[in-house]
Amino acid sequence: MTSSPMATTVDQSSAARSGSGSPSPPRRPRRSIGKFVVILLFLGAVGAGAFYALPYALKATSSRDETGVLTFSVQTQRLRVTVTADGTIESASNVDVKCQVPGGSTILSIVPDGTEVDAGDEIVRLDSSQIEDELSTQKINYERALATKIQSEEDYAAATIAVKEYEQGTFVQELQQAEAQIKIALENLRSAENVLKYSERMVRKGFVTPLQRDADAFAVERAKLDLEVAETAKQVLVEFTKPKMMKELIAKREAAAAKLRSDEAALELEQAKLKRLEQQLANCVIMAPQRGMVVYANERGRRGSSGIEIEEGAVIREQQTIVRLPDLTRMQVKVTVHESKVDQLKVGMPARIVIQDRELGGRVVAVANQPEPNSFFSANVKEYATTVAIDGETKSLRPGMSAEVEILLADLPDRVVIPISSVVERRGKFYCWVQVGNDHEKRPLKLGATDDTYIEVIDGVKVGDLVLRNPRAVLAEARLEAGEGDAEEGDDDSFGPPGDREAGPQGGPEANGPPAGGPPAGPGAAQGPGGGPAGQRRFDPMQFDADGDGKLSLEEAPERMKARFGDMDADGDGFATRAEVNAFSQKMRAQFESQGGTPPGPGGGRPE
């Protein structure tokens, strides 16, 4: 077996120790450490070279002389006007799982956030102790109502039978008895009359006394009275007794029927309460209606309030969303766009979405009509929610991921462009300086759309002209035109959020200006660098970017900004980027406006 160099070194050291008798530590090889140091030095040199070479590579169309003048050769190029914003991924189709318990309840258990579940799996269990007590009481009430209803059914049946019994039985029997009494009375009357006739013949012959004859005559009269009584009894039975008894019995039957209906309604009510409580008890155990990933329906509070947090022990109200089951096959990004840009957005605009170094396509599907609620820190800044649908495979995405969205407002081919830093505004008009020999010629401009770096020139320069990229840094006339030192004339040279009065790093026309890439508002209308209407000017600190690298250093910043330069330099790298300047400007304006004060000037001071 072949031994390694390390093994050889160790063996030699061991031999040395055995010969001298004194232990010494083994020596490590230095070859691998030296190679590692060389690699590190090489990588550092390559990185430094790339860092310093990048600005020069980006300024391939620019030149700089020994006086510090930066020039740009006017050219035609494709101009892509975009709006970039950060947002959060969400599902385009969410199934909201809500609390269905009246009066709300308390969460006893809930599956962890982000758990993948199948349809029918238990995801939430709510407190049901109070419902169980009410359910036991309701069962007793239901049984009582059932017993009362059964008794009412029997009473109604008996009352119905009583009506038939009298009409078809008792009345018929009493009528027959009355008719029998009439027949008996008639027969008694005929018999009495025959006896009277016999007695009258016998009285003449002397066989019957007159007294006997009178007695037989009385018997006839009595028989007549009995007949009249029997006939009257029949008449009373038919004309009065029967109707009266029928009404009484029918009334009892109807009363029994009404009571039966009442008891049936009471039973149905108690049964409905029982079923409702049973359903509420079942609602305390919430099952997943479909397969998906559980996402807690947490909500941030407004103006610094605590908001809603879903967790075990949390008290939730009725119809409050507890969790959501998003459809991971249909995802979208929700971003907020500043009010100065929202009018430029249209449904259907294409978008580029970057999610963790993964680039996807998308399109705008919705733009809100109302701004998002202001937080305590956003003051009066208005932003509108915009939804961008993600095209392609989205199963690997998860709700809540961060995404950067770039919405394409306009794609303009072959446009004459110059750098934004070359444009200077003065009282609603825009100028640039063109190098003519050893002199610089001031030219008025008619501007169009813009992106983060370049702005379209409709009229004023032609392809091939050399325009100054840093006129404010090298020409006193440009600094005067830019507004330095003339604040006494009433100009507002404070700088505000992007899109407030001048297009900032976001590029694109103003909300009140022409559409991106479109013509000016009218023939000869003055346009701002952002495509907005003239006369709305904000002081742009990036005009002092002398080397045109897109960053402002402390040396390049004017004196009135240096006091607050550290606040603008958010990442502390010694340079203030366009994004950092705009963020600081927006923060300062919001702070002063919320306090009712005058917006701060450059560096956080008051306008001069």
Side-chain angles (χ1 to χ4, degrees):
M1 181 177 64
T2 305
S3 61
S4 64
M6 180 64 73
T8 303
T9 304
V10 173
D11 293 342
Q12 293 174 353
S13 300
S14 300
R17 286 197 304 270
S18 61
S20 62
S22 61
S24 61
R27 300 178 60 186
R28 295 181 177 271
R30 300 182 178 273
R31 181 180 303 173
S32 59
I33 298 177
K35 291 175 63 178
F36 181 70
V37 172
V38 170
I39 292 174
L40 285 180
L41 291 175
F42 176 75
L43 292 178
V46 171
F51 176 79
Y52 287 104
L54 181 61
Y56 298 98
L58 294 177
K59 295 187 289 184
T61 58
S62 301
S63 61
R64 183 171 185 172
D65 59 19
E66 61 277 2
T67 62
V69 176
L70 285 171
T71 58
F72 175 86
S73 178
V74 178
Q75 61 186 7
T76 60
Q77 68 180 39
R78 179 185 181 186
L79 191 65
R80 290 173 54 88
V81 183
T82 61
V83 171
T84 303
D86 294 332
T88 303
I89 297 178
E90 61 182 24
S91 174
S93 176
N94 286 311
V95 176
D96 292 346
V97 178
K98 299 183 178 182
C99 172
Q100 302 293 339
V101 179
S105 185
T106 303
I107 299 177
L108 295 182
S109 64
I110 184 170
V111 298
D113 195 8
T115 303
E116 300 241 355
V117 296
D118 294 324
D121 290 351
E122 179 181 329
I123 54 177
V124 181
R125 182 176 290 270
L126 305 178
D127 183 15
S128 59
S129 57
Q130 182 177 356
I131 297 177
E132 291 174 351
D133 294 341
E134 294 178 359
L135 183 60
S136 299
T137 303
Q138 187 57 33
K139 287 181 178 179
I140 297 174
N141 295 335
Y142 171 75
E143 295 298 332
R144 288 176 180 173
L146 179 60
T148 303
K149 183 247 185 183
I150 294 174
Q151 183 62 48
S152 297
E153 288 178 340
E154 298 300 325
D155 293 343
Y156 173 71
T160 303
I161 294 174
V163 173
K164 293 182 179 181
E165 176 190 17
Y166 179 78
E167 185 177 16
Q168 301 176 10
T170 304
F171 170 72
V172 173
Q173 181 182 4
E174 290 178 351
L175 180 61
Q176 291 174 348
Q177 290 177 353
E179 290 176 345
Q181 291 297 325
I182 293 174
K183 288 182 180 180
I184 293 172
L186 285 173
E187 188 61 32
N188 289 338
L189 178 58
R190 284 193 297 268
S191 298
E193 287 177 345
N194 290 335
V195 172
L196 179 59
K197 289 178 181 179
Y198 177 75
S199 296
E200 287 178 348
R201 289 196 304 269
M202 292 297 104
V203 168
R204 290 192 298 267
K205 294 179 179 184
F207 294 107
V208 177
T209 65
L211 183 61
Q212 183 64 40
R213 184 195 59 190
D214 293 338
D216 292 337
F218 178 74
V220 171
E221 293 298 329
R222 181 179 178 181
K224 289 180 179 181
L225 292 174
D226 290 340
L227 178 59
E228 290 177 0
V229 170
E231 290 176 347
T232 302
K234 177 183 178 182
Q235 182 181 4
V236 170
L237 175 64
V238 173
E239 295 182 3
F240 300 104
T241 304
K242 178 185 177 181
K244 182 189 71 172
M245 292 301 296
M246 288 298 295
K247 287 184 178 295
E248 289 179 357
L249 294 174
I250 291 174
K252 290 181 179 180
R253 183 187 65 184
E254 296 301 323
K259 187 174 185 301
L260 175 60
R261 290 192 297 269
S262 174
D263 292 339
E264 286 177 343
L267 178 63
E268 291 177 357
L269 180 61
E270 298 298 336
Q271 187 176 19
K273 290 181 179 179
L274 181 62
K275 290 182 178 180
R276 185 165 60 251
L277 288 172
E278 290 175 345
Q279 184 61 46
Q280 291 177 13
L281 183 61
N283 290 339
C284 289
V285 180
I286 302 177
M287 305 296 183
Q290 67 177 27
R291 178 181 176 85
M293 182 178 65
V294 174
V295 178
Y296 288 179
N298 295 321
E299 296 181 7
R300 293 182 299 174
R302 297 176 58 182
R303 300 186 180 276
S305 60
S306 59
I308 298 175
E309 184 174 357
I310 302 299
E311 61 183 355
E312 292 184 355
V315 178
I316 56 175
R317 64 182 184 277
E318 182 180 2
Q319 295 300 320
Q320 177 181 336
T321 300
I322 304 175
V323 298
R324 296 184 175 91
L325 296 178
D327 183 359
L328 300 182
T329 62
R330 298 175 55 199
M331 305 297 284
Q332 62 187 20
V333 182
K334 182 178 180 181
V335 299
T336 55
V337 179
H338 193 271
E339 59 183 335
S340 64
K341 306 289 191 299
V342 70
D343 284 344
Q344 304 173 44
L345 299 179
K346 298 292 183 293
V347 174
M349 283 183 169
R352 185 177 66 91
I353 305 168
V354 179
I355 306 171
Q356 296 181 352
D357 298 331
R358 179 182 176 186
E359 185 172 324
L360 299 170
R363 66 190 184 282
V364 177
V365 295
V367 180
N369 293 324
Q370 297 295 324
E372 291 290 281
N374 289 341
S375 66
F376 178 78
F377 300 99
S378 63
N380 295 325
V381 177
K382 298 294 189 298
E383 293 181 323
Y384 290 77
T386 302
T387 305
V388 179
I390 302 176
D391 298 333
E393 177 63 38
T394 60
K395 289 185 178 180
S396 61
L397 303 180
R398 292 294 181 266
M401 285 183 173
S402 299
E404 179 181 337
V405 178
E406 182 184 38
I407 302 173
L408 180 62
L409 302 179
D411 191 356
L412 310 173
D414 300 328
R415 301 295 169 131
V416 177
V417 298
I418 62 174
I420 294 178
S421 59
S422 299
V423 180
V424 174
E425 178 186 4
R426 176 61 174 170
R427 299 187 179 277
K429 297 182 179 180
F430 301 93
Y431 304 92
C432 74
W433 279 260
V434 178
Q435 184 172 332
V436 180
N438 295 326
D439 199 4
H440 302 99
E441 178 183 332
K442 174 183 173 183
R443 293 187 184 178
L445 300 175
K446 183 178 179 181
L447 304 176
T450 181
D451 61 7
D452 290 347
T453 307
Y454 298 98
I455 187 168
E456 177 188 7
V457 180
I458 300 175
D459 187 24
V461 295
K462 64 181 183 298
V463 175
D465 287 347
L466 288 178
V467 298
L468 270 64
R469 293 196 62 161
N470 55 343
R472 301 170 185 84
V474 297
L475 296 178
E477 179 186 11
R479 287 193 293 272
L480 178 62
E481 295 291 349
E484 282 197 20
D486 62 343
E488 67 274 5
E489 298 182 15
D491 289 338
D492 180 9
D493 61 349
S494 61
F495 59 97
D500 188 9
R501 294 196 181 182
E502 178 184 37
Q506 304 298 333
E510 280 288 79
N512 296 325
Q527 296 285 315
Q536 297 184 355
R537 178 171 57 84
R538 281 287 180 191
F539 173 71
D540 183 11
M542 297 303 293
Q543 65 184 338
F544 298 100
D545 178 18
D547 55 7
D549 62 351
K551 297 184 293 184
L552 190 67
S553 65
L554 181 62
E555 292 75 14
E556 294 172 332
E559 290 298 327
R560 53 183 170 179
M561 290 177 58
K562 290 184 178 181
R564 303 299 299 272
F565 187 83
D567 296 332
M568 285 192 296
D569 182 16
D571 56 6
D573 62 349
F575 297 92
T577 64
R578 169 75 73 176
E580 290 174 335
V581 170
N582 289 333
F584 175 73
S585 169
Q586 181 173 332
K587 175 181 177 182
M588 296 301 297
R589 285 183 57 80
Q591 176 180 348
F592 276 81
E593 289 176 1
S594 64
Q595 298 174 356
T598 304
R606 299 290 183 182
E608 295 181 358

mmCIF file of all heavy atoms in Angstrom, residues 458 514-515 517-522 527:
data_model
loop_
_atom_site.group_PDB
_atom_site.id
_atom_site.type_symbol
_atom_site.label_atom_id
_atom_site.label_comp_id
_atom_site.label_asym_id
_atom_site.label_seq_id
_atom_site.Cartn_x
_atom_site.Cartn_y
_atom_site.Cartn_z
ATOM 1 N N ILE A 458 -37.676 64.445 -28.059
ATOM 2 C CA ILE A 458 -38.496 64.585 -29.256
ATOM 3 C C ILE A 458 -37.927 65.664 -30.175
ATOM 4 O O ILE A 458 -37.926 65.537 -31.397
ATOM 5 C CB ILE A 458 -39.947 64.885 -28.868
ATOM 6 C CG1 ILE A 458 -40.508 63.733 -28.011
ATOM 7 C CG2 ILE A 458 -40.823 65.110 -30.094
ATOM 8 C CD1 ILE A 458 -41.891 63.994 -27.468
ATOM 9 N N PRO A 514 -48.408 62.875 -20.183
ATOM 10 C CA PRO A 514 -48.836 61.991 -21.263
ATOM 11 C C PRO A 514 -48.522 60.558 -20.937
ATOM 12 O O PRO A 514 -47.703 60.270 -20.078
ATOM 13 C CB PRO A 514 -48.013 62.489 -22.458
ATOM 14 C CG PRO A 514 -46.783 63.054 -21.826
ATOM 15 C CD PRO A 514 -47.207 63.644 -20.531
ATOM 16 N N PRO A 515 -49.136 59.593 -21.581
ATOM 17 C CA PRO A 515 -48.831 58.186 -21.370
ATOM 18 C C PRO A 515 -47.402 57.888 -21.726
ATOM 19 O O PRO A 515 -46.764 58.594 -22.503
ATOM 20 C CB PRO A 515 -49.814 57.453 -22.299
ATOM 21 C CG PRO A 515 -50.867 58.464 -22.622
ATOM 22 C CD PRO A 515 -50.217 59.799 -22.544
ATOM 23 N N GLY A 517 -44.315 56.897 -23.376
ATOM 24 C CA GLY A 517 -43.982 56.726 -24.771
ATOM 25 C C GLY A 517 -44.887 57.466 -25.703
ATOM 26 O O GLY A 517 -44.711 57.451 -26.905
ATOM 27 N N GLY A 518 -45.906 58.140 -25.209
ATOM 28 C CA GLY A 518 -46.852 58.829 -26.065
ATOM 29 C C GLY A 518 -46.411 60.236 -26.343
ATOM 30 O O GLY A 518 -45.422 60.736 -25.853
ATOM 31 N N PRO A 519 -47.171 60.964 -27.149
ATOM 32 C CA PRO A 519 -46.831 62.341 -27.494
ATOM 33 C C PRO A 519 -47.081 63.263 -26.334
ATOM 34 O O PRO A 519 -47.746 62.923 -25.371
ATOM 35 C CB PRO A 519 -47.783 62.636 -28.658
ATOM 36 C CG PRO A 519 -48.941 61.731 -28.410
ATOM 37 C CD PRO A 519 -48.401 60.504 -27.797
ATOM 38 N N PRO A 520 -46.588 64.476 -26.389
ATOM 39 C CA PRO A 520 -46.834 65.428 -25.316
ATOM 40 C C PRO A 520 -48.307 65.766 -25.225
ATOM 41 O O PRO A 520 -49.106 65.440 -26.090
ATOM 42 C CB PRO A 520 -45.995 66.656 -25.727
ATOM 43 C CG PRO A 520 -45.008 66.124 -26.714
ATOM 44 C CD PRO A 520 -45.651 64.977 -27.394
ATOM 45 N N ALA A 521 -48.668 66.442 -24.121
ATOM 46 C CA ALA A 521 -50.071 66.761 -23.873
ATOM 47 C C ALA A 521 -50.644 67.612 -24.976
ATOM 48 O O ALA A 521 -51.829 67.558 -25.261
ATOM 49 C CB ALA A 521 -50.207 67.466 -22.532
ATOM 50 N N GLY A 522 -49.858 68.420 -25.634
ATOM 51 C CA GLY A 522 -50.362 69.241 -26.734
ATOM 52 C C GLY A 522 -49.206 69.702 -27.585
ATOM 53 O O GLY A 522 -48.042 69.553 -27.219
ATOM 54 N N GLN A 527 -42.316 69.430 -21.610
ATOM 55 C CA GLN A 527 -42.336 68.176 -20.889
ATOM 56 C C GLN A 527 -41.188 68.161 -19.900
ATOM 57 O O GLN A 527 -40.116 68.676 -20.160
ATOM 58 C CB GLN A 527 -42.196 66.988 -21.849
ATOM 59 C CG GLN A 527 -43.349 66.856 -22.818
ATOM 60 C CD GLN A 527 -44.557 66.297 -22.111
ATOM 61 O OE1 GLN A 527 -44.456 65.355 -21.348
ATOM 62 N NE2 GLN A 527 -45.707 66.890 -22.349
#
